[in-house]
């Protein structure tokens, strides 16, 4: 396998990992939103989600209640 093929495969793998991470974040966001509607204290859940997301150009200004 040459370097270009390897780089392409690495990029494909990275894209898959990013998509899976975004899916997990979406699932957790939906869960926290549901818990908020049901009256649970979700302040720490939102804080943890923001921490796990970290600074990301893919999520500028993400709307999470404070």
């Amino acid at each position: 396998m040459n370097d270009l093929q390897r780089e392409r495969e690495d990029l494909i793998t990275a894209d898959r990992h990013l998509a899976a991470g975004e899916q997990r974040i979406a699932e957790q966001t939906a869960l926290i939103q549901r818990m908020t509607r049901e009256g649970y204290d979700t302040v720490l859940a939102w804080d943890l989600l923001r921490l796990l997301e970290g600074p990301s150009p893919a999520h500028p200004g993400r709307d999470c209640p404070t």
Side-chain angles (χ1 to χ4, degrees):
M1 175 182 316
N2 66 35
D3 289 342
L4 185 57
Q5 284 176 310
R6 179 66 187 176
E7 186 172 340
R8 284 182 181 153
E9 287 183 14
D10 288 346
L11 288 172
I12 289 169
T13 299
D15 284 342
R16 286 186 189 134
H17 290 172
L18 288 170
E22 289 174 357
Q23 179 64 36
R24 283 191 293 277
I25 288 171
E27 290 168 359
Q28 290 301 306
T29 299
L31 176 61
I32 296 169
Q33 288 170 339
R34 189 189 84 214
M35 291 175 69
T36 300
R37 285 191 307 273
E38 293 176 358
Y40 290 92
D41 179 358
T42 57
V43 172
L44 290 177
W46 284 117
D47 288 346
L48 179 58
L49 183 62
R50 277 193 287 271
L51 179 66
L52 292 174
E53 286 181 297
S56 170
H59 298 99
R62 186 176 195 89
D63 294 328
C64 292
T66 55

